[in-house]
Structure formats: structure tokens, C-alpha cells
């Protein structure tokens, strides 16, 4: 097997498509339906947004959704340099992401921060490239 996709089941497709397209910078061509797949470069082939009610109708056993910040998983975006973590954190907060954890250089050497999308899914922005003296 090889890894194929990450899916988020969402309540408000338009809000979430706009967030991932305009705030996080993904190339999304959404047709207005309850589903969209974004082709990705690298190991992960697709990032998928699917309206929760569509998923619940196809698999009704799965309907216990997290409320607030979803700490069960995260989406991680790598940036080239430590300083880019701070720049991207400020940019996405100003664009509408919810701040969760400010940019910090961790004891294991990476610079990381966390924000949440409009429905509370965790997004990590990180870099392992120490380009400055934080």
C-alpha cells in the first residue's frame, strides 16, 4: 500500500474551500458540490474536503464529531526556513485562521506553530531549517 489522501469531513463546504484556497494557498477548483479533491505534490496525492452529511449518509455508523478544536489529527505544512513559520503564522491569522500555539522553537530543533481552520481542525506550520538564531 501507499498513502493516498487526507480527508476532512466538513459542515460548511464554501467556508472551508475558501479557507484552504485563499488562506492556506491550495489550488482548489471546486464545482459547488459536497466534495472536492485537491491534487498535491509529493507523497500525499490528494487533500479532500467532503460534506459531513454526504459521508454520514453513506456510513451512518460514523457520526460522533469533535466539537471545538479537533485534537485527533492535524494537517502539517512545511516551510523552508524558521523565519517563514513566523511569517506564515501572522499571515494566516490575519486571513482568518484561529491561533492555537504561537511560533516556538522546540527542544527537538524544529520551529512550529499551530492554528485551526474555521471548523477547528489543527494545522501545524513548521520548519526544520535553522536559518536564524531563535
Amino acid at each position: 500500500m501507499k498513502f493516498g489522501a487526507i480527508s476532512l469531513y466538513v459542515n460548511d463546504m464554501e467556508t472551508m474551500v475558501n479557507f484552504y484556497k485563499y488562506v492556506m494557498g491550495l489550488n482548489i477548483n471546486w464545482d459547488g458540490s459536497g466534495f472536492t479533491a485537491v491534487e498535491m505534490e509529493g507523497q500525499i496525492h490528494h487533500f479532500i474536503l467532503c460534506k459531513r452529511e454526504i459521508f454520514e449518509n453513506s456510513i451512518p455508523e460514523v457520526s460522533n464529531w469533535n466539537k471545538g478544536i479537533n485534537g485527533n489529527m492535524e494537517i502539517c505544512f512545511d516551510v523552508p526556513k524558521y523565519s517563514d513559520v513566523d511569517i506564515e503564522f501572522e499571515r494566516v491569522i490575519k486571513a482568518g485562521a484561529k491561533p492555537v500555539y504561537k511560533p516556538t522553537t522546540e527542544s527537538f530543533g524544529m520551529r512550529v506553530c499551530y492554528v485551526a481552520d474555521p471548523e477547528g481542525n489543527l494545522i501545524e506550520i513548521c520548519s526544520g531549517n535553522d536559518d536564524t538564531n531563535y
Side-chain angles (χ1 to χ4, degrees), residues 37-65:
V38 181
E39 289 195 34
M40 306 289 289
E41 294 181 19
Q43 181 69 22
I44 297 172
H45 296 268
H46 293 95
F47 175 77
I48 297 168
L49 296 176
C50 180
K51 192 145 177 77
R52 283 184 181 179
E53 67 185 34
I54 292 171
F55 183 71
E56 288 173 346
N57 288 337
S58 65
I59 305 176
E61 293 81 8
V62 182
S63 63
N64 186 14
W65 304 103

Side-chain angles (χ1 to χ4, degrees), residues 19 23-24 85-103 113-117 123 125:
F19 178 85
V23 176
M24 299 311 296
V85 174
D86 299 70
I87 292 166
E88 288 300 310
F89 181 79
E90 291 301 322
R91 184 188 68 77
V92 300
I93 295 304
K94 287 178 184 171
K98 300 171 193 169
V100 175
Y101 183 72
K102 67 180 178 64
C113 68
Y114 286 90
V115 298
D117 71 19
I123 299 168
I125 302 169

